[in-house]
Amino acid sequence: MISFSQAIAAVERYCVRNTAVIKPIEKSMGMVLAKDIASPINMPSYRQSSMDGYALVFGDDLSNKVVDEVQAGSSKNIPLKKGEAVRIFTGARVPDDADTIVIQEHVSKVEDSIHIEKMPPKNANIRPLGEQISKGDIALEKGTVLNEVSVAFLVGLGISKVSVYKKPKVSILVTGNELVRLGNELKEGQIFESNSVSLVLALKKLGVKNVKVHRIKDQLKSTTKAVKKCLKKSDIVLISGGISVGEYDFVKQALENNGVTEIFYKVNQRPGKPLWFGTKGNTKVFALPGNPVSSLSCFYLYVLPLIKAQLGFSNYHLERKTGVLKEDIINKTGKTLFLKGLLKDAQASVLDGQASSMLRSFAISNALLVVAENIDFIKKGEKIKYIELK
C-alpha cells in the first residue's frame, strides 16, 4: 500500500498531452489549442465606421453636402472633397478620402446638406485597419482553452479549423451480481447501479463523449474477456467494483490475465483504499472501488487529472484551497481522509454521512476536506486544506 502523495505522483508520470488533431471550429468548444493561431487577416480588414453618422474630410467647414451613403456590407469607395459628406452606418467601409465621422446626434440635416453642431476630433469614430489584430499576429496562443468567446473571435478571422488535443476513448466496465440497471425491477438483495451514470456524466463534463459502458457478472472468465475487449478499443479503461479481496472480486486477476502492468494497488486513504492503476501499451487502466463515494472520489483525485492533462490543460488537478474549520476533526485512522464538506464564506463544515456508500451527503457537498495521514487532530478555527468541487 502506498501513500496518497505517492499515488498522485505515480499518476502524474503519465499526465502527458495527447496527439493533436484538426477539428472544425464549431466542434472545438472546451478543447485546448495545440498550436498558436496567427491571424490570416487584419481585423477589421478595412477602415470601419464605429457609429451611425456622416463621413467627411476634417476641416473648419461646418456645412457639408451629402453626396451618397454607405451601408454595412457595401464595398463602395466614394470620392470626397472638403465640404462633402456621405451618410454612413456602423460597420460600413469608410471612404478612403474621409478621415472623420460625425455622429448623427451632432448633426442637423436640411434637404441634401448637413450642419455640424459639434465637430469631433480628426479621425474620430473610425476603426483603423487592423485595430483589433494585424495580419500575421498571434490571435490565440497554444494552450488556450476554447470557449464561446474565443471561438467567435476565430470565426471572425475566417478560421474554420483548429489544431487541438485529441479526446480519449473511454470504456467503463461495471462489475457486480447485485447491480440492477435503472428501469428494471429491484429485488431483495439488489441495488440500482449508479457508478456508470456518475462516471459518464463526469466524463461528459470534461468534453469526453466517446464512452462505452459494459456490464458483467462476477465471474473470472467473463471479467477477463471483457477487460480484453476494453483494452483493444480504449485509451482509458475505468473498472467499477471487483477490485477488493473478496471471493467474488476477479478484476485484479483479470487484469493480470490480460498482461496489464500494475503501477500501484491500494492507497492509504479513505475513501478509496482499494484503488488499482496500471497500463498496457498506451492504454491506462483504473480499477475503482465499487462504493459510489469511493468511485467518484477516486475519479476526481486520479482519473480527472490524467484526462485533463491528455486534453492539454496545464492546470489539470481540481483547485486546492484553504478554509477555516468550523468544528474539530479527529483522525485516528493513519490514513489521508477526504471528507465531504461544505464551504461557505471560507468556513468549512464536515457533513454527516461520511460512509463510502452515502451519496446523499456527497450530492450537497462542494468540497473534499483533506486531512493528511500524519495529522490526527485539527482544531476548530484552524485552517484546513480542501479540494473544490464544481
Side-chain angles (χ1 to χ4, degrees):
M1 184 161 59
I2 63 174
S3 68
F4 166 65
S5 59
Q6 289 172 321
I8 285 292
V11 172
E12 285 179 339
R13 288 196 288 273
Y14 295 88
C15 286
V16 295
R17 291 176 177 136
N18 280 345
T19 55
V21 293
I22 303 299
K23 284 281 186 180
I25 188 68
E26 64 271 16
K27 294 184 178 180
S28 66
M29 179 72 176
M31 302 184 78
V32 179
L33 286 179
K35 293 181 180 179
D36 292 345
I37 295 182
S39 178
I41 62 171
N42 294 307
M43 180 184 273
S45 58
Y46 54 90
R47 290 197 311 147
Q48 190 180 79
S49 175
S50 64
M51 303 290 284
D52 291 345
Y54 295 86
L56 46 79
V57 181
F58 184 81
D60 297 328
D61 195 346
L62 298 181
S63 293
N64 289 260
K65 183 179 179 180
V66 180
V67 297
D68 208 329
E69 77 170 27
V70 185
Q71 298 179 1
S74 172
S75 60
K76 286 196 298 187
N77 183 21
I78 301 162
L80 285 175
K81 56 191 177 190
K82 283 195 174 184
E84 293 181 337
V86 295
R87 180 76 166 112
I88 197 164
F89 299 91
T90 303
R93 183 189 189 281
V94 178
D96 290 347
D97 293 334
D99 58 17
T100 304
I101 293 176
V102 184
I103 64 174
Q104 61 188 18
E105 291 85 353
H106 294 164
V107 166
S108 58
K109 191 170 187 298
V110 179
E111 296 181 351
D112 62 349
S113 296
I114 58 169
H115 178 74
I116 300 171
E117 298 170 350
K118 183 179 179 181
M119 178 67 81
K122 188 176 181 179
N123 298 315
N125 304 312
I126 297 176
R127 298 171 182 149
L129 182 76
E131 178 188 41
Q132 187 169 172
I133 189 169
S134 297
K135 182 178 179 179
D137 287 351
I138 298 301
L140 292 176
E141 294 182 345
K142 174 182 177 180
T144 299
V145 182
L146 295 172
N147 58 22
E148 60 274 21
V149 179
S150 53
V151 167
F153 174 49
L154 295 179
V155 169
L157 295 175
I159 293 169
S160 61
K161 296 180 180 180
V162 290
S163 177
V164 292
Y165 294 104
K166 183 181 178 182
K167 294 179 181 180
K169 293 183 288 186
V170 181
S171 285
I172 298 173
L173 180 59
V174 180
T175 72
N177 295 335
E178 76 281 12
L179 302 178
V180 176
R181 295 180 67 175
L182 188 64
N184 294 328
E185 180 185 358
L186 191 67
K187 298 179 181 179
E188 193 75 23
Q190 296 180 327
I191 59 173
F192 287 117
E193 190 275 308
S194 63
N195 285 358
S196 66
V197 177
S198 63
L199 292 174
V200 167
L201 292 176
L203 289 164
K204 188 177 292 187
K205 194 173 179 180
L206 291 172
V208 178
K209 298 176 183 178
N210 191 349
V211 182
K212 302 293 183 184
V213 178
H214 309 269
R215 296 173 176 86
I216 56 170
K217 296 297 183 180
D218 291 322
Q219 298 169 344
L220 178 58
K221 185 176 180 180
S222 58
T223 305
T224 300
K225 184 178 179 181
V227 168
K228 182 179 182 179
K229 181 179 179 181
C230 291
L231 288 169
K232 284 184 177 180
K233 297 184 177 182
S234 312
D235 302 304
I236 296 175
V237 178
L238 305 180
I239 305 175
S240 173
I243 194 58
S244 293
V245 291
E247 293 182 11
Y248 294 95
D249 292 321
F250 299 112
V251 168
K252 190 173 185 297
Q253 183 62 56
L255 291 167
E256 292 174 359
N257 292 349
N258 280 285
V260 184
T261 300
E262 179 182 308
I263 306 301
F264 65 75
Y265 175 48
K266 294 186 180 178
V267 183
N268 192 34
Q269 63 183 21
R270 179 182 291 178
K273 174 185 172 182
L275 172 68
W276 192 99
F277 174 58
T279 65
K280 183 172 183 179
N282 293 322
T283 301
K284 314 300 183 294
V285 181
F286 291 91
L288 307 172
N291 276 320
V293 173
S294 299
S295 175
L296 199 52
S297 295
C298 287
F299 179 89
Y300 289 146
L301 294 170
Y302 301 97
V303 183
L304 180 147
L306 179 74
I307 292 176
K308 289 193 73 173
Q310 289 184 340
L311 294 175
F313 289 85
S314 54
N315 298 319
Y316 44 77
H317 287 290
L318 289 175
E319 193 168 359
R320 304 185 183 205
K321 297 182 177 180
T322 301
V324 177
L325 196 58
K326 293 182 70 174
E327 60 214 90
D328 294 346
I329 291 179
I330 299 172
N331 179 16
K332 295 182 178 180
T333 66
K335 304 178 186 297
T336 296
L337 302 183
F338 298 99
L339 303 174
K340 290 163 280 186
L342 200 60
L343 264 291
K344 186 176 182 180
D345 299 326
Q347 300 290 308
S349 301
V350 180
L351 294 171
D352 292 333
Q354 290 294 326
S356 57
S357 59
M358 294 185 176
L359 274 177
R360 185 174 183 273
S361 52
F362 213 168
I364 62 174
S365 68
N366 60 8
L368 289 176
L369 309 183
V370 183
V371 183
E373 61 185 44
N374 60 342
I375 295 176
D376 55 18
F377 181 72
I378 305 178
K379 188 177 181 180
K380 174 183 176 181
E382 291 184 342
K383 292 182 178 180
I384 186 168
K385 294 180 180 179
Y386 68 91
I387 297 170
E388 189 172 42
L389 301 177
K390 294 182 180 180

